[in-house]
Amino acid sequence: MAHYLFQAAYTVDAWAAMVKNPQDRIEAIRPVVESLGGTVVAGYLAFGEYDTVAIVDLPDNEAAAAFAMAASAGGAVKALKTTPLLSTQEGLGAAGKAGTIAYRPPA
């Protein structure tokens, strides 16, 4: 299972709707994620550029892209950022492989 960080910024209208009728949006996305074969690991509201973040396990990039497209198409988010996450062990493995590659930078 692949891990992803989704960061979303809500539109003004979405915030107005949530102020009028507060709701747990992580619970709202849980069935969508599960329909794609995934699980919601954690979700938070946040300060700053993005209003909410979720860590989600999904089977593959296609499922992650489908979720991102569906969330964007809903109209409640003005920005959505998807970041694939590597475990520490995966990162160490990638670093080890990078050390064996004979890459030549532009001259």
Side-chain angles (χ1 to χ4, degrees):
M1 195 72 72
H3 313 289
Y4 299 89
L5 170 66
F6 290 98
Q7 297 170 274
Y10 291 126
T11 64
V12 172
D13 290 340
W15 270 120
M18 288 194 291
V19 167
K20 185 176 181 180
N21 180 26
Q23 51 196 281
D24 183 343
R25 298 307 302 163
I26 296 301
E27 289 309 312
I29 68 163
R30 190 176 305 280
V32 177
V33 170
E34 290 174 353
S35 76
L36 292 166
T39 57
V40 175
V41 175
Y44 305 92
L45 287 174
F47 293 106
E49 186 176 352
Y50 295 98
D51 301 312
T52 187
V53 299
I55 299 172
V56 176
D57 289 345
L58 287 163
D60 52 35
N61 287 335
E62 185 177 334
F67 175 76
M69 289 175 191
S72 295
V77 297
K78 62 182 177 184
L80 181 68
K81 181 177 180 180
T82 306
T83 305
L85 302 174
L86 299 174
S87 69
T88 301
Q89 289 305 312
E90 289 170 322
L92 291 172
K97 287 178 184 178
T100 66
I101 297 172
Y103 171 76
R104 289 182 332 161

